[in-house]
């Protein structure tokens, strides 16, 4: 399929305030994914420079800044970059924001300590090229954290902007743990950890009310337990933590 992802996200961002209405359950899922990402980064890298690729509305960027990480927020949409700056400024934060394509990143070799690509690879025409770019700009022993929908079934619909058959949510690729591990290792990374999070039962009204107020460490244990014992559902997100070889 000939999919112009740049045009898609420019059109999407121009209309996002009208069509993006997140349910409380979806907000909870996103918040837990962000918390898991931060836990994978760890406090030992707080003094390093973190690149948030595909920062979208900037929620992760703001969370990282609030925890004193040195963050660069990057998105393909210039309008999104402006919105991230505004969201951060409303909280007294001042991120470094860049509009750029993940397939052609404007950084010199070996210049970053951590790269987070949250729900990015599935949108790209060439995810392998993006991973090669991540490898290029990370320092030796630098950390890559990637999240994708877990073993997603790709569907298609007619885009309300271009009126063409378009993958739902702009997702071009589906990844399970084996496929994600393979493409990350092929880019030269050493995989350190694979994690699946957010069992769908989190969104059931009764469980949702119980789980929302839980501190992340306790929620993480509960979610891990659900993922081990419940076999008729699959976790919503797949995360991988990898290290650049020296």
């Amino acid at each position: 399929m000939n999919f112009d992802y740049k045009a898609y996200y420019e059109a999407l961002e121009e209309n996002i305030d009208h069509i993006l209405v997140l349910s409380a359950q979806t907000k909870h899922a996103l918040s837990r994914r962000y918390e898991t990402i931060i836990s994978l980064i760890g406090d030992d890298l707080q003094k390093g420079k973190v690149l948030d690729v595909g920062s979208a509305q900037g929620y992760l960027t703001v969370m990282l800044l609030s925890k004193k990480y040195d963050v660069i927020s990057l998105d393909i949409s210039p309008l999104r970059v402006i919105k991230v700056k505004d969201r951060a400024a409303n909280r007294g934060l001042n991120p470094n924001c860049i509009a750029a394509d993940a397939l052609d990143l404007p950084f010199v070799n070996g210049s970053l300590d951590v790269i987070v690509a949250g729900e990015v690879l599935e949108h790209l025409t060439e995810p392998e090229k993006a991973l090669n770019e991540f490898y290029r700009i990370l320092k030796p022993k630098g950390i890559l954290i990637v999240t994708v929908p877990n073993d997603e079934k790709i569907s298609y619909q007619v885009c309300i902007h271009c009126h063409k058959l378009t993958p739902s949510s702009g997702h071009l690729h589906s990844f399970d743990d084996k496929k994600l591990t393979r493409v990350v290792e092929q880019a030269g990374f050493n995989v350190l950890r694979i994690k699946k999070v957010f069992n769908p039962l989190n969104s059931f009204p009764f469980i949702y009310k119980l789980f929302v107020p839980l501190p992340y460490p306790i929620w993480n244990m509960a979610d891990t337990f659900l993922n081990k014992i419940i076999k008729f559902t699959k976790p919503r997100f797949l995360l991988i933590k990898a290290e650049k070889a020296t």
Side-chain angles (χ1 to χ4, degrees):
M1 171 176 288
N2 184 17
F3 179 62
D4 188 343
Y5 66 94
K6 293 183 180 180
Y8 174 86
Y9 290 109
E10 287 176 359
L12 178 66
E13 194 57 36
E14 290 176 357
N15 296 275
I16 196 70
D17 292 333
H18 303 291
I19 63 176
L20 182 63
V21 180
L22 300 180
S23 68
Q25 286 85 349
T26 297
K27 291 179 180 178
H28 180 223
L30 296 177
S31 176
R32 294 306 190 182
R33 176 166 63 85
Y34 298 146
E35 289 176 321
T36 304
I37 290 171
I38 292 172
S39 74
L40 291 176
I41 295 175
D43 294 337
D44 56 328
L45 290 172
Q46 250 183 332
K47 294 182 179 179
K49 192 171 291 294
V50 180
L51 176 64
D52 181 11
V53 178
S55 55
Q57 307 306 307
Y59 297 114
L60 178 61
T61 290
V62 169
M63 288 177 71
L64 288 167
L65 286 169
S66 299
K67 293 181 177 296
K68 310 302 180 184
Y69 287 93
D70 183 5
V71 186
I72 302 172
S73 179
L74 183 146
D75 199 276
I76 196 169
S77 167
L79 184 56
R80 279 185 172 181
V81 168
I82 294 172
K83 290 182 178 180
V84 173
K85 280 183 172 290
D86 290 343
R87 174 167 283 108
N90 289 336
R91 292 161 175 79
L93 304 169
N94 184 29
N96 182 6
C97 297
I98 299 173
D101 191 337
L103 303 184
D104 186 21
L105 294 167
F107 300 96
V108 299
N109 296 353
S111 56
L112 298 170
D113 298 282
V114 181
I115 295 176
V116 177
E119 313 297 287
V120 171
L121 292 189
E122 68 272 16
H123 293 273
L124 302 177
T125 54
E126 300 175 271
E128 297 84 0
K129 185 175 180 181
L131 287 166
N132 289 335
E133 277 289 271
F134 299 159
Y135 191 90
R136 177 183 67 81
I137 65 177
L138 274 172
K139 296 177 181 178
K141 295 289 186 179
I143 295 297
L144 171 67
I145 296 173
V146 170
T147 83
V148 293
N150 179 34
D151 197 17
E152 179 184 27
K153 182 178 180 181
I154 304 296
S155 60
Y156 297 85
Q157 59 190 15
V158 176
C159 177
I160 63 174
H161 308 300
C162 66
H163 309 296
K164 296 179 181 179
L165 190 63
T166 305
S168 300
S169 303
H171 293 183
L172 305 176
H173 307 276
S174 176
F175 296 91
D176 58 17
D177 48 354
K178 292 181 179 179
K179 181 178 178 180
L180 185 59
T181 298
R182 183 175 69 252
V183 296
V184 168
E185 289 181 340
Q186 286 175 345
F189 290 96
N190 297 322
V191 173
L192 302 177
R193 187 176 179 188
I194 300 172
K195 185 174 177 65
K196 297 177 182 180
V197 299
F198 207 82
N199 190 284
L201 292 181
N202 275 273
S203 297
F204 281 38
F206 175 72
I207 296 178
Y208 166 75
K209 290 180 180 180
L210 288 176
F211 279 22
V212 163
L214 294 179
Y216 173 75
I218 298 176
W219 173 86
N220 182 48
M221 288 189 292
D223 185 63
T224 300
F225 178 73
L226 286 179
N227 290 335
K228 286 183 177 180
I229 66 169
I230 305 297
K231 301 302 181 183
F232 60 87
T233 64
K234 59 185 178 183
R236 182 168 176 177
F237 304 116
L238 174 63
L239 298 90
I240 197 165
K241 178 177 182 178
E243 182 181 68
K244 178 176 178 177
T246 55

